[in-house]
Amino acid sequence: MNKALKYTLIGAGGLVVLLAAAMALILALVNPNDYRDEIAQVVHDKTGRTLTFDGDLSLSVFPWIGLETGKLSLSNAAGFGDAPFAAIDRAKIKVRLLPLLSKKVDVGMLELDGLLLNLARNKQGKTNWDDLTSAGAAKKAAPEEPEATDARGSGSGAALAGLAVGGVDVKDAQVGWSDAQSGKSYRVHDLNAATGAIAFGKPFDFKLSVQLESAEPAVNASVDVSGEATVGLSEQRYEAKGVKVAVQAKGGAIPGGEISAALTADVSADLKAQTAAVEHLVLTAYNVKASGRLRATSILGKPAAKVDLKVDPFDAKKLLNSLGAAVETSDPKALGKVALQTTVDYEPASVSAKSIILTLDDTTATGMFSLSDFKAPAYRTEWKVDAVNVDRYLPPAKPEGAGSAAAASKTGAAQPKKAVGLPLEPLRKLDCDAVLEIGKLTVKKLNWSDVRVEVHAKNGVVAVKPVKLSGYGAALASALTLDARTDTPAAAVDVSVAGLNLGPMLKDMTGQQKAEGVVTLGANLQTRGQSQQAMVEHLNGKADFKMQRGKIMNFNPVRVLRNAVSLLKGGGTSGSVESDYADLTGSATIRQGVVYNNDLNVRSPLFRATGEGAVNLAGQTVDYVLNTSLVASTEGQGGADVDDLIDVTIPIGIRGSLADPSIGVDPAKLARIILKTGVRDVKGVVQGTGEALGEGLKVIGKELEGSRGSGSESKEGSGDKKKTLPADLIRGLFQ
């Protein structure tokens, strides 16, 4: 054997023997428990806290340098009670001796049992660890020596890269938090954590389970986490694959009172490249499943991220019900299928989703959304919807008599509504461009197509224009502008309707085609005010309207007059219930919330009608007169019974509350009119005509109202018969 090798082996063996002997002497001569008081004194001198040893210290030297403690505790800060700040039942740490000679740290299993940590903050905002961090801060304030490096420039990071740990085992740990300022407290208990052998750059298993409790808000939850981690300290790369998180929680602070959630993902971060990623993300909660991925850059500077998100179809109504927000819809199947797919881009000063696909039952909507400059937000969004029936999602219709009327009857007369001012500051800050297109739209049973709405807001001016839609043979367009730059905002509205076929529209809306005609309408309105009521009171503008080939079903003024005269002569009632086609034109001028009309003109083969008067929108009152007269007609349409009334104008007054107006013929005016017919017994004619009108309108009212009947119906043989048209009759035309 080579002499050099021989002497080397002999020397190494001797060194080991000497080292073993030294370790034996240390174990024989050194008892760590002899130093407990000195250790406690040093802790007290440095922190002012009392370190109490309730168990023995034990020391191992070879082949491991190890220390194991029994129970020990650290007292709390002054003013935070007698409970210890921290305590443990047992702690154990050991390091293999021989690897230290080659600058490698091989740590065995780190064990910690029964950790107790009580954290608190008093009413003055001081925590029970402030004194510890202050001492540490004072120490750190002293100049620090630069970190020593070897020839390759590596420092403590390189040394730590050689660290190996047999594993970590934490059992029955507890952490409490009590905040006297907010009155809230939290507690983490039954915290157990364990890992496999840890070596930097190599994967190791980990798992964690914990119980969380909170009194305010009330929450009781259990959390379990597991996965496989890799810590590349020198490369500054960290990974956690197969991460699984399961949460079971109950309590008043939990939406719906209870939740069961699960998450799986692969997570990675590269600090050198400043990138991070979450792959294969799947989150399930409340029977809703969402999946996706996240990629982030510049994570240590100004982070940016891209998120792909997909939400599988779920029952939104069931979800809302489970969250305690019960929703009822006219269609019980509405909200039964909701799904979402999108990609979100986040930048330091903006967020956008350029491709959004939203499924709502039978509706598919595609769109985009962006928000830039978080300090002065600017919103941009565009949506295209194939077809949507809004009525499906409205609350079910309430039984007749229920709702506000019933509530008013219980509480007495309805109180006037308090004027609500416009949110001027938010409107002035609003920066928005929004576009909505809908291929087919059903709302209030009306069917529209090619709907387009644009909203533009900037510097206090909000413009909703154009608003376009088609339906019932018509093209409808409107525009609204609101100027909120001053303390008294101003608004302008333009509306145009061309070729609206009234019959099919009324049939869709009410189920009955109570009228026919082709309507053309134009309006230009302006107003100002700080509330809706003020804007109604200051409404000004002009409007014009026209209806061609108009027809009102179940109402024929000629039939009413003919039957009235026939009844006077002892005959019966007959004639067509439907009116003949007529053309209607007119215009309106609006001044300070009052609508004036003095050129209403209705022309029919059998009658003519003109109207004039006013409607006070702010006061909800009406004062209007409709002047109706018969014209010469072909035989069989008017009839000989009404020949004496041809070219005689009969005024019908509509006055009072707009919600419940009084509608009828002034008896004095009627008497003067009938005098012109040559009938001598004016009193008898007036009374008889009034009775005949009442009888005729009673029949028409029944035809209009169905089983409900007319509000003017009087008992047979009664001497007290009404001579005015019932309000229910006119309202019935439009119900």
Side-chain angles (χ1 to χ4, degrees), residues 510-522:
T510 66
Q512 302 179 48
Q513 190 166 320
K514 295 184 176 182
E516 292 181 358
V518 179
V519 177
T520 299
L521 171 67

Side-chain angles (χ1 to χ4, degrees), residues 80 420 471 649:
F80 285 91
V420 179
T649 301

Side-chain angles (χ1 to χ4, degrees), residues 1-298:
M1 179 182 294
N2 186 290
K3 290 184 178 182
L5 178 59
K6 178 180 178 180
Y7 293 142
T8 300
L9 292 176
I10 293 173
L15 181 61
V16 171
V17 170
L18 289 174
L19 187 59
M23 297 300 104
L25 288 173
I26 292 174
L27 288 175
L29 300 176
V30 177
N31 183 355
N33 292 288
D34 295 338
Y35 300 94
R36 293 193 305 180
D37 293 341
E38 294 182 19
I39 296 171
Q41 185 62 46
V42 171
V43 170
H44 187 272
D45 292 342
K46 295 293 185 180
T47 67
R49 307 286 188 98
T50 300
L51 179 63
T52 303
F53 293 89
D54 294 323
D56 292 334
L57 300 176
S58 61
L59 182 66
S60 64
V61 179
F62 188 83
W64 298 88
I65 298 178
L67 178 67
E68 183 174 354
T69 75
K71 290 185 178 181
L72 59 86
S73 62
L74 181 66
S75 65
N76 220 326
F80 285 91
D82 298 330
F85 172 74
I88 57 172
D89 290 340
R90 185 181 74 92
K92 184 177 181 179
I93 181 172
K94 57 183 181 178
V95 179
R96 193 179 294 273
L97 178 61
L98 292 180
L100 291 176
L101 301 177
S102 58
K103 297 184 179 181
K104 292 183 179 179
V105 182
D106 187 355
V107 182
M109 180 71 71
L110 297 177
E111 300 179 29
L112 186 62
D113 293 348
L115 170 66
L116 173 64
L117 189 60
N118 291 314
L119 305 177
R121 179 167 59 187
N122 61 22
K123 292 184 178 180
Q124 290 72 39
K126 183 179 179 181
T127 68
N128 62 346
W129 67 86
D130 279 346
D131 57 330
L132 300 178
T133 57
S134 297
K139 184 178 180 181
K140 289 181 180 179
E144 295 185 358
E145 293 294 331
E147 187 180 63
T149 61
D150 60 19
R152 292 171 297 178
S154 61
S156 59
L160 285 175
L163 176 66
V165 180
V168 176
D169 188 10
V170 179
K171 295 179 180 177
D172 299 326
Q174 298 184 53
V175 179
W177 166 248
S178 178
D179 188 349
Q181 282 191 326
S182 64
K184 297 181 180 180
S185 62
Y186 308 91
R187 189 167 73 94
V188 174
H189 62 93
D190 292 336
L191 189 157
N192 297 282
T195 72
I198 301 173
F200 291 113
K202 296 181 180 180
F204 61 90
D205 296 333
F206 67 89
K207 60 181 179 180
L208 168 73
S209 64
V210 63
Q211 295 286 328
L212 306 173
E213 287 186 8
S214 168
E216 180 61 37
V219 176
N220 192 327
S222 64
V223 180
D224 292 283
V225 183
S226 63
E228 181 184 81
T230 302
V231 178
L233 195 63
S234 59
E235 301 88 357
Q236 299 188 51
R237 180 171 177 80
Y238 308 88
E239 293 182 350
K241 292 185 177 181
V243 176
K244 295 181 180 179
V245 181
V247 178
Q248 300 285 339
K250 294 182 179 180
I254 304 298
E258 183 176 0
I259 185 175
S260 176
L263 179 147
T264 60
D266 295 332
V267 183
S268 64
D270 188 330
L271 299 187
K272 285 186 177 180
Q274 293 199 44
T275 61
V278 179
E279 302 285 350
H280 311 113
L281 173 66
V282 178
L283 173 63
T284 304
Y286 296 109
N287 295 317
V288 178
K289 180 181 177 182
S291 58
R293 61 184 299 202
L294 177 148
R295 289 141 293 163
T297 57
S298 302

Side-chain angles (χ1 to χ4, degrees), residues 490-692:
V493 180
D494 291 323
V495 180
S496 66
V497 179
L500 180 65
N501 199 329
L502 190 62
M505 188 181 78
L506 290 177
K507 187 172 183 179
D508 283 348
M509 186 165 53
T510 66
Q512 302 179 48
Q513 190 166 320
K514 295 184 176 182
E516 292 181 358
V518 179
V519 177
T520 299
L521 171 67
N524 181 271
L525 310 174
Q526 305 85 36
T527 187
R528 58 185 176 83
Q530 295 181 335
S531 66
Q532 180 181 355
Q533 179 66 22
M535 285 196 164
V536 172
E537 293 173 352
H538 293 92
L539 185 65
N540 295 282
K542 293 184 177 181
D544 57 78
F545 50 89
K546 177 172 66 175
M547 182 170 70
Q548 297 173 302
R549 302 185 300 279
K551 190 176 190 179
I552 300 176
M553 312 303 182
N554 300 332
F555 178 72
N556 189 332
V558 176
R559 176 178 181 255
V560 174
L561 294 175
R562 180 179 179 181
N563 288 340
V565 175
S566 176
L567 289 171
L568 282 174
K569 296 180 179 181
T573 62
S574 62
S576 172
V577 178
E578 297 182 357
S579 68
D580 289 280
Y581 282 100
D583 289 339
L584 179 151
T585 60
S587 64
T589 300
I590 303 95
R591 296 192 296 271
Q592 299 301 312
V594 181
V595 182
Y596 299 94
N597 165 251
N598 58 8
D599 63 353
L600 180 68
N601 191 354
V602 183
R603 300 179 64 84
S604 169
L606 296 179
F607 71 94
R608 299 285 187 269
T610 60
E612 58 181 348
V615 176
N616 189 323
L617 298 177
Q620 292 289 290
T621 60
V622 58
D623 184 0
Y624 199 83
V625 176
L626 185 65
N627 299 301
T628 305
S629 62
L630 300 183
V631 297
S633 60
T634 58
E635 187 176 354
Q637 290 181 315
D641 291 337
V642 294
D643 285 347
D644 291 339
L645 297 178
I646 290 175
D647 293 331
V648 175
T649 301
I650 299 177
I652 300 175
I654 306 171
R655 297 182 176 88
S657 167
L658 191 60
D660 187 18
S662 173
I663 306 172
V665 179
D666 187 315
K669 289 184 179 180
L670 183 60
R672 289 194 294 271
I673 291 170
I674 292 180
L675 280 174
K676 297 179 181 180
T677 66
V679 180
R680 295 179 180 180
D681 188 358
V682 174
K683 180 179 179 181
V685 171
V686 171
Q687 180 178 353
T689 304
E691 292 175 354

Side-chain angles (χ1 to χ4, degrees), residues 205-534:
D205 296 333
F206 67 89
K207 60 181 179 180
L208 168 73
S209 64
V210 63
Q211 295 286 328
L212 306 173
E213 287 186 8
S214 168
E216 180 61 37
V219 176
N220 192 327
S222 64
V223 180
D224 292 283
V225 183
S226 63
E228 181 184 81
T230 302
V231 178
L233 195 63
S234 59
E235 301 88 357
Q236 299 188 51
R237 180 171 177 80
Y238 308 88
E239 293 182 350
K241 292 185 177 181
V243 176
K244 295 181 180 179
V245 181
V247 178
Q248 300 285 339
K250 294 182 179 180
I254 304 298
E258 183 176 0
I259 185 175
S260 176
L263 179 147
T264 60
D266 295 332
V267 183
S268 64
D270 188 330
L271 299 187
K272 285 186 177 180
Q274 293 199 44
T275 61
V278 179
E279 302 285 350
H280 311 113
L281 173 66
V282 178
L283 173 63
T284 304
Y286 296 109
N287 295 317
V288 178
K289 180 181 177 182
S291 58
R293 61 184 299 202
L294 177 148
R295 289 141 293 163
T297 57
S298 302
I299 59 176
L300 300 180
K302 296 182 178 180
K306 180 184 289 290
V307 180
D308 296 326
L309 176 65
K310 178 183 179 183
V311 180
D312 291 351
F314 65 95
D315 189 326
K317 185 177 292 184
K318 184 181 294 184
L319 171 63
L320 292 171
N321 289 339
S322 66
L323 294 176
V327 173
E328 292 187 22
T329 55
S330 297
D331 181 357
K333 296 182 180 180
L335 298 175
K337 179 184 176 184
V338 178
L340 173 68
Q341 185 171 344
T342 185
T343 297
V344 179
D345 289 299
Y346 171 82
E347 298 289 342
S350 66
V351 61
S352 65
K354 297 180 180 178
S355 176
I356 307 174
I357 302 175
L358 175 65
T359 301
L360 178 63
D361 297 319
D362 300 324
T363 299
T364 299
T366 59
M368 61 76 62
F369 171 84
S370 69
L371 167 60
S372 60
D373 193 351
F374 295 146
K375 294 182 179 179
Y379 304 92
R380 304 290 182 266
T381 186
E382 293 184 10
W383 287 91
K384 289 186 178 181
V385 181
D386 54 359
V388 60
N389 185 342
V390 177
D391 295 343
R392 296 182 62 189
Y393 305 97
L394 298 177
K398 293 182 179 180
E400 190 173 347
S404 59
S409 65
K410 292 181 181 180
T411 59
Q415 299 297 319
K417 293 183 179 179
K418 184 179 179 180
V420 179
L422 295 175
L424 297 182
E425 284 305 315
L427 287 173
R428 290 167 183 167
K429 295 178 181 179
L430 184 61
D431 185 345
C432 173
D433 287 314
V435 178
L436 172 63
E437 295 182 356
I438 305 176
K440 294 182 180 180
L441 171 66
T442 299
V443 57
K444 294 295 184 181
K445 300 181 181 179
L446 299 178
N447 298 300
W448 306 100
S449 62
D450 301 326
V451 179
R452 182 178 176 87
V453 180
E454 293 187 23
V455 179
H456 305 281
K458 185 79 171 178
N459 299 326
V461 179
V462 181
V464 184
K465 61 181 180 181
V467 178
K468 295 182 178 180
L469 66 158
S470 301
Y472 305 101
L476 293 83
S478 68
L480 180 148
T481 301
L482 174 64
D483 189 342
R485 291 175 294 182
T486 64
D487 291 339
T488 304
V493 180
D494 291 323
V495 180
S496 66
V497 179
L500 180 65
N501 199 329
L502 190 62
M505 188 181 78
L506 290 177
K507 187 172 183 179
D508 283 348
M509 186 165 53
T510 66
Q512 302 179 48
Q513 190 166 320
K514 295 184 176 182
E516 292 181 358
V518 179
V519 177
T520 299
L521 171 67
N524 181 271
L525 310 174
Q526 305 85 36
T527 187
R528 58 185 176 83
Q530 295 181 335
S531 66
Q532 180 181 355
Q533 179 66 22

